[in-house]
Amino acid sequence: MASCQNTFKQLLFMSVVQMKEFYSWVFNEYPYFVQQDNRRFVSQETGNLYIAKVEPSDVGNYTCVVMNSITKGKVHSSPTSLVLRKDGVMGEYEPKIEVHFPDTVPAAKGSVVTLECFALGNPVPEITWKRANGVPFPSKVKMKYSNAVLEIPSFQQDDTGGYECVAENKMGKNIATGRLAFHAKPQWIQTMRDTALAIEERLHWECRANGKPKPSYNWLKNGQVLITEERVYVDNGVLLISSLNLSDAGMYQCVAENKYGVIYFSTELMVLGMVLFKMVSPVGDGGSDSTHVTSFSIYPHRITLSPDGTLRITNVTKYDAGSYTCFARNRFGTSSTTGRLLITDPTRITQGPVDMEIIVGESIVLPCQIACDPVLDVFFSWAFNGQLITKTDRHFELRTAGDLMIRNIQLNHAGKYICVVDTDVESLSAVAILIVKGPPGPPDTVAVEEVTDSTAQLSWSRGRDNGSPITIYLIQTRTPFTVGWQRVDTVPEVIDGNTLTATVVDLNAWVEYEFRVVAKNSVGVGEPSPTSLQTRTEDAVPDAAPNDVGGGGGSRSELVVTWEPVPEELQNGESFGYIIAFRGLGEMTWTHVATSAPGASRYVYRNDSIAPFSPFHVKVGAYNSKGQGPFSPVVTIYSAEEEPSGMPGGVWARSVSASEIEVNWQALSFTPERVLGYEVVYWEDDTKPETMGKVRVPGSQTSVTVSGLGQNTQYFLTVSAFNTAGTGPFLPAINATTKKSPPGQPPLNVEWTLIGSQITIYWEPVVAMETESEVTGYQLSYRSLKHKEENMLLTNNSTAALTLVDNEDYVIHIRSLSEGGLGPATDPIRIHKLSKLLIM
C-alpha cells in the first residue's frame, strides 16, 4: 500500500514495508525507475519517495519496489497516482526538512555510516553538510544523490561528533543536527609507575583511559576497593593520599570500565621509613625564605637571623639551594633538625589566549602554554565571566596541557576568559575577550498598519544584531491557500537594516494574510519574528477570468460549456459567480446567463432550436459583490450532436484461437451525422447477461480482435457506429465459436545429439485430449545468452536440427502448435559454451 500527500509543488509517497531492504520506485511502468536528483529522493531508511518540487512531468503512477539484498527477491506495491492540482498556485517558500537523521546515531569502529537529509521547498533547496566543530571532512567521506546522503566508510573515533545538514534556498534555510557516537571498550592512555615515597609525603596518581561510552574508574588496594576517607581521596581516575605512613604501602590497581569491557593496571607503592624535614616550600629563584633557627655559622648580607630564631634569606639564587640545619641548645642539652631548600625556575606563560571574534557554531582552542621548572606540580583552571569552568558543560573541554577547547560556540559564550596557572611557588593568569557573532535575533512586534485590496503596510521593532550589523530585512507571508511561508514583494524593493517599515505589494484581494519579518547580516539569516495578527485585504472586482474554457457533447438541443473554476484566493470578494456568454457562429448578439455557484465548472443551455453539432462562440467571465471581472478569450465549441443513423455493412467473424475472435466490417459510406468510431458488442446468449462485453475502435479502423473469451464457446456479435451522442443502430447479430484450448501437456522425453555446432533435438509427440485442439506442429524458441535475441523454428515433426554459434551459451524451449494457440513450454534446455552439456 502506498499513500501520497500532494500539493502543487511538493509530494511525499509513503511505503509501509518495514524490512531493511533496498528500495526503489517505478514511474508508470517497468523498467522506468525514478531517477534520484536534487528534486527527487528515495530514503533507504523508510522507503519513502520525496519530490521537493512537483513538475507537470511528474504526473503518473508510482509503484514501490522492495528488493531483498540477499535473495534478490522483489515485492511490488500497488500503483499510486499523482495528479497535479489546478485549484491553486504554489509560491516560493523556505526549505522544510522532511528526511533527517536521529539526534544520536551510534556507530561501531570500521562500519559504514550513512546519514540522510532531504528537504521540500521552492526553489528546490540545496543540501550542504558540515561538522559542528568546523573540521573539514576527510577525503574518504562521500556525498551522494545531490548531497542528500552523507556516507562515512570505515568509521573511526575521529569521525564522532556533531553533524549538520543545511537545506537552503533564496527564501531561507533550515538545519537538521545530530551526533555520531563511537562505541569502544576502554584502552589505557595514562598509567602509573611503581613509586617509592617517604613517610609524611603526598601521593598523587592518575590513570586515564579512552572508550565509548566514557569509562568509569575505581581504585583497589591489595584487591580491596578504595573510597574517599580521611587522608585518601578518590575521584574519576585520581588517587591522592596525604601524609603517607607505612600502612599505605602495597599493590594498587586502577580499574577502567564501560559497558563494552573492563581493564586493570597494577602498580606498587613503597613507603620509606625515614623523615625528610622540609623547612620551607620550594622557593623560586629571586624570592625570599624564612626558617626558624638558633644558630648559623656564616651570615652573608642577604641572610639574617632574628632573635626568635628565624632565618631569612632574600634575593634567593640557585646557589642558596641545599640542606639547612637548625640547632637548639639549653642547659639540658642540644637538639637539631635539618631541612632541604629547593630553588626553582620562575614559571612563564609562553602562549596565552588572545582576543578574537568567532562565528556561532564554530569551535576554537584557547591556548595556555607554559614553561616551568620540572620539579613543580602545575595545576590549570579556567574562568568564564568570573565563574570557574567545570567539566559539566558539554561545550567546554579542559585539556591536560592547559588549553581550553570550546565546541559549537553559542552567543552566550561571548565574554572574558581567564587561564589560571598554579604551582607550589606562584600563581599566574592570562586574559582574553571572546566576541561571538551570529545571525540576527528575531525582529519584534510586527504590526499591520494599513491595508488595501492589494497592499499592506507593516512596521516592526529591531532585534539583536548579535555582533554583526543587520544589512537587510525580508518579509514573508502565509495564507490558508499556501504551504509554508513565502517571500513577498515590497516597497522599497530592498529593505536595508536601518528601515523598520515597508509596504507589501501584489497581494490578492479578500484573503486573510499573516506576516513575519526576517533579518539578515554578514553571518546569515536569523530566526523569524513572531507572526502578526491575521489580516484580511479589502475586496475588489475579480481580475482573473476562468481558464480552459471548452465544452461540447451532451444531449440533443443542448450546448454544454465547461471551464476551470477560479481558485478561492483569486475570487477577490463575496457573492462570487460566473457569467456565461455565447452566440451562434456568424451572429452578432451574445446571450448571457449567470450562475452563483463559485465552485461551478459546467453549464448546460437547452433550447429546441439548437441544431445538432452547430458551432458557437463562447466566453466565460466572473463577478462578485464588487462588480464584474474580465471574460476569458473566445473559443468555438459545438452543440450536442445526434447519434449515427446508419449501420456498417459486410460484417463477418472468424475464430482465431481458443480465446480470440476476429470481427470485420465495412465502414459507413455516407451518414449525415459524425462518426467517431465503431463499437463491437459480444455475448454468449441472452440468458447470460454477465458475459456481455464491448470493444470500441477509431472510425478509421474496420476490424478488431476480441480477446479474453472462453474456449470452445459460441459468441454472438454485432457492430454499430458511435459519436459523442451515443451509438447508432446495431446490425443483426452474427455468431462465431472459439477454438478448443491448446494441449495442456508440454513435449516430453526430450533428447539431443551434438556434432560440432549442429544439435539435433528429439521429443515425444504431444497427443491432444478430446477437449483440446489437435496438434498441428511445434515451435522451437532459442536464444544466445550473449546477444539476448530470440529466434523461432517451426516444424511439423517431433524432431528439429539447429546450428549454434561456438563459444556462446544457449537456452531452448519447445511448444506444441494448434488452432487453439501455443501449448505450454518444456523446461529450459541449457547448452553450455564449453562443454555443450545439456542441463534440464
Side-chain angles (χ1 to χ4, degrees):
M1 181 185 73
S3 65
C4 73
Q5 301 169 346
N6 177 29
T7 66
F8 181 62
K9 296 292 179 181
Q10 68 178 29
L11 170 73
L12 162 63
F13 279 144
M14 302 196 65
S15 168
V16 300
V17 180
Q18 298 298 320
M19 300 178 294
K20 184 61 176 178
E21 304 287 1
F22 177 78
Y23 300 93
S24 58
W25 285 78
V26 172
F27 179 54
N28 284 334
E29 61 181 14
Y30 185 85
Y32 297 105
F33 285 94
V34 173
Q35 299 300 309
Q36 299 187 63
D37 51 26
N38 66 332
R39 206 169 53 82
R40 294 167 292 194
F41 177 64
V42 178
S43 170
Q44 295 304 314
E45 295 295 329
T46 65
N48 296 345
L49 165 63
Y50 301 85
I51 302 181
K53 175 188 174 186
V54 172
E55 303 288 356
S57 60
D58 296 319
V59 173
N61 294 320
Y62 290 80
T63 302
C64 178
V65 181
V66 187
M67 183 178 74
N68 187 298
S69 58
I70 298 176
T71 66
K72 305 303 181 183
K74 295 181 180 178
V75 178
H76 294 71
S77 71
S78 57
T80 300
S81 297
L82 167 60
V83 179
L84 205 61
R85 288 177 51 183
K86 297 183 179 179
D87 58 349
V89 177
M90 172 64 65
E92 297 179 337
Y93 65 98
E94 63 188 7
K96 179 182 179 184
I97 294 180
E98 288 289 342
V99 182
H100 58 81
F101 46 97
D103 292 339
T104 301
V105 179
K109 181 178 180 180
S111 63
V112 177
V113 178
T114 300
L115 304 180
E116 294 184 342
C117 182
F118 191 74
L120 310 180
N122 184 19
V124 175
E126 178 182 352
I127 304 295
T128 57
W129 294 82
K130 65 178 180 178
R131 297 189 66 170
N133 60 10
V135 176
F137 289 119
S139 59
K140 69 176 181 178
V141 174
K142 302 175 182 177
M143 306 289 182
K144 298 181 176 181
Y145 305 121
S146 299
N147 291 356
V149 174
L150 173 72
E151 183 178 282
I152 307 175
S154 186
F155 185 78
Q156 303 295 322
Q157 189 166 3
D158 292 343
D159 300 318
T160 59
Y163 285 74
E164 294 183 1
C165 165
V166 182
E168 187 170 8
N169 62 17
K170 69 178 183 179
M171 300 304 300
K173 68 179 178 180
N174 206 340
I175 300 176
T177 62
R179 297 187 63 82
L180 292 183
F182 183 85
H183 285 173
K185 71 177 184 179
Q187 290 184 327
W188 292 119
I189 57 175
Q190 179 180 343
T191 56
M192 307 76 60
R193 295 181 179 179
D194 293 343
T195 302
L197 295 174
I199 290 176
E200 299 297 331
E201 286 196 310
R202 174 175 174 267
L203 172 69
H204 178 206
W205 272 339
E206 184 173 2
C207 61
R208 283 284 177 265
N210 58 19
K212 292 292 182 178
K214 189 175 181 180
S216 60
Y217 300 90
N218 285 309
W219 282 89
L220 307 178
K221 176 189 175 186
N222 297 331
Q224 301 298 315
V225 177
L226 287 174
I227 60 174
T228 298
E229 57 181 0
E230 297 180 352
R231 299 176 298 107
V232 178
Y233 175 76
V234 178
D235 179 47
N236 196 29
V238 174
L239 173 63
L240 297 175
I241 304 178
S242 61
S243 188
L244 289 170
N245 58 48
L246 293 175
S247 66
D248 295 320
M251 292 300 299
Y252 289 77
Q253 283 184 311
C254 178
V255 184
E257 180 178 9
N258 66 14
K259 66 180 181 179
Y260 294 100
V262 57
I263 55 176
Y264 300 83
F265 190 87
S266 301
T267 188
E268 182 179 7
L269 172 64
M270 295 172 286
V271 180
L272 305 179
M274 63 179 181
V275 179
L276 174 63
F277 291 96
K278 289 187 177 180
M279 305 306 296
V280 296
S281 298
V283 176
D285 193 2
S288 62
D289 171 56
S290 294
T291 304
H292 294 283
V293 298
T294 57
S295 64
F296 201 84
S297 56
I298 300 174
Y299 300 107
H301 66 276
R302 296 180 298 104
I303 301 176
T304 58
L305 180 63
S306 301
D308 62 357
T310 299
L311 178 67
R312 181 178 300 277
I313 306 175
T314 59
N315 295 324
V316 174
T317 69
K318 287 191 175 182
Y319 297 104
D320 296 317
S323 298
Y324 290 78
T325 302
C326 172
F327 296 92
R329 296 183 181 88
N330 63 16
R331 62 179 179 169
F332 299 105
T334 302
S335 180
S336 67
T337 183
T338 300
R340 187 180 179 190
L341 177 61
L342 301 177
I343 308 298
T344 64
D345 291 326
T347 302
R348 295 179 295 106
I349 296 179
T350 58
Q351 183 183 6
V354 296
D355 297 345
M356 64 174 60
E357 296 181 353
I358 193 168
I359 304 299
V360 165
E362 296 181 347
S363 300
I364 61 167
V365 174
L366 298 180
C368 193
Q369 301 294 312
I370 64 168
C372 66
D373 197 297
V375 302
L376 294 176
D377 290 330
V378 181
F379 300 94
F380 295 93
S381 59
W382 282 83
F384 169 49
N385 289 340
Q387 299 295 319
L388 186 67
I389 296 177
T390 65
K391 297 181 180 180
T392 58
D393 191 323
R394 64 183 180 87
H395 290 279
F396 296 114
E397 179 185 337
L398 298 168
R399 298 188 169 182
T400 54
D403 298 341
L404 172 66
M405 183 172 190
I406 311 176
R407 303 181 186 274
N408 190 20
I409 285 180
Q410 302 301 305
L411 292 170
N412 59 1
H413 292 143
K416 181 179 181 180
Y417 288 82
I418 303 177
C419 171
V420 180
V421 182
D422 289 309
T423 69
D424 294 332
V425 178
E426 57 195 328
S427 179
L428 300 88
S429 64
V431 179
I433 302 298
L434 184 62
I435 298 174
V436 181
K437 293 184 176 181
D444 196 16
T445 318
V446 178
V448 182
E449 298 178 346
E450 185 177 343
V451 176
T452 68
D453 59 359
S454 63
T455 65
Q457 185 173 338
L458 306 183
S459 65
W460 58 91
S461 301
R462 186 186 304 275
R464 299 185 308 273
D465 63 12
N466 291 334
S468 178
I470 296 172
T471 55
I472 61 171
Y473 288 100
L474 306 174
I475 297 180
Q476 299 173 340
T477 185
R478 179 174 64 183
T479 76
F481 310 107
T482 61
V483 176
W485 291 89
Q486 302 178 16
R487 184 175 174 181
V488 290
D489 295 330
T490 61
V491 175
E493 184 176 352
V494 177
I495 309 171
D496 64 55
N498 297 319
T499 302
L500 300 177
T501 182
T503 300
V504 181
V505 298
D506 298 332
L507 301 178
N508 292 328
W510 201 246
V511 172
E512 291 184 330
Y513 283 91
E514 294 175 296
F515 300 94
R516 71 181 188 184
V517 181
V518 179
K520 183 178 181 181
N521 62 12
S522 62
V523 179
V525 178
E527 293 296 317
S529 68
T531 303
S532 71
L533 295 177
Q534 196 173 64
T535 303
R536 183 186 289 274
T537 50
E538 295 181 351
D539 55 355
V541 173
D543 52 14
N547 292 323
D548 294 338
V549 175
S555 301
R556 182 180 177 85
S557 301
E558 288 184 347
L559 178 66
V560 178
V561 182
T562 61
W563 62 89
E564 183 179 312
V566 175
E568 184 179 349
E569 64 268 29
L570 301 179
Q571 294 177 3
N572 287 8
E574 297 180 302
S575 303
F576 184 84
Y578 299 97
I579 300 173
I580 301 95
F582 55 91
R583 67 184 179 186
L585 193 65
E587 296 180 358
M588 300 299 295
T589 304
W590 292 91
T591 299
H592 294 82
V593 293
T595 174
S596 60
S601 60
R602 186 173 186 267
Y603 176 78
V604 179
Y605 174 73
R606 296 179 179 87
N607 193 307
D608 292 339
S609 65
I610 298 178
F613 206 62
S614 298
F616 282 82
H617 285 162
V618 175
K619 59 183 180 180
V620 181
Y623 71 91
N624 61 18
S625 58
K626 293 288 287 186
Q628 180 179 322
F631 276 98
S632 67
V634 176
V635 298
T636 301
I637 64 174
Y638 287 82
S639 62
E641 58 186 333
E642 293 182 335
E643 61 271 11
S645 58
M647 293 184 296
V651 178
W652 60 278
R654 69 182 183 91
S655 175
V656 178
S657 69
S659 61
E660 298 173 318
I661 293 176
E662 179 185 306
V663 184
N664 295 266
W665 62 89
Q666 295 176 358
L668 281 171
S669 59
F670 173 78
T671 179
E673 300 82 20
R674 189 173 58 142
V675 175
L676 290 180
Y678 297 93
E679 180 177 282
V680 177
V681 179
Y682 58 92
W683 66 96
E684 288 186 23
D685 59 54
D686 294 340
T687 64
K688 297 180 179 179
E690 72 278 2
T691 65
M692 187 180 73
K694 63 181 179 180
V695 179
R696 282 190 168 187
V697 296
S700 60
Q701 191 170 325
T702 58
S703 68
V704 68
T705 298
V706 180
S707 59
L709 305 177
Q711 59 93 15
N712 196 25
T713 302
Q714 183 184 50
Y715 282 88
F716 295 89
L717 306 100
T718 184
V719 183
S720 68
F722 72 87
N723 59 22
T724 60
T727 56
F730 283 94
L731 286 168
I734 61 172
N735 64 75
T737 301
T738 54
K739 307 289 186 182
K740 293 181 181 180
S741 62
Q745 181 71 36
L748 301 176
N749 299 326
V750 179
E751 298 180 356
W752 63 277
T753 59
L754 179 65
I755 301 176
S757 298
Q758 188 79 17
I759 182 171
T760 304
I761 306 175
Y762 310 87
W763 61 89
E764 186 177 302
V766 176
V767 178
M769 301 179 64
E770 184 178 351
T771 58
E772 298 174 338
S773 296
E774 291 294 329
V775 175
T776 59
Y778 297 91
Q779 174 186 285
L780 279 76
S781 60
Y782 60 100
R783 62 184 174 90
S784 164
L785 297 183
K786 179 179 179 181
H787 297 97
K788 305 295 185 181
E789 181 180 354
E790 191 165 64
N791 300 286
M792 298 291 181
L793 175 66
L794 301 179
T795 179
N796 295 326
N797 304 313
S798 58
T799 180
L802 301 172
T803 300
L804 307 180
V805 178
D806 290 338
N807 298 322
E808 292 187 15
D809 295 335
Y810 279 85
V811 175
I812 303 174
H813 294 89
I814 307 173
R815 293 178 172 87
S816 61
L817 292 171
S818 71
E819 288 186 341
L822 287 172
T826 60
D827 290 335
I829 305 166
R830 304 182 187 276
I831 309 298
H832 193 271
K833 64 184 177 182
L834 295 178
S835 63
K836 290 294 192 293
L837 293 179
L838 180 64
I839 304 174
M840 294 296 294

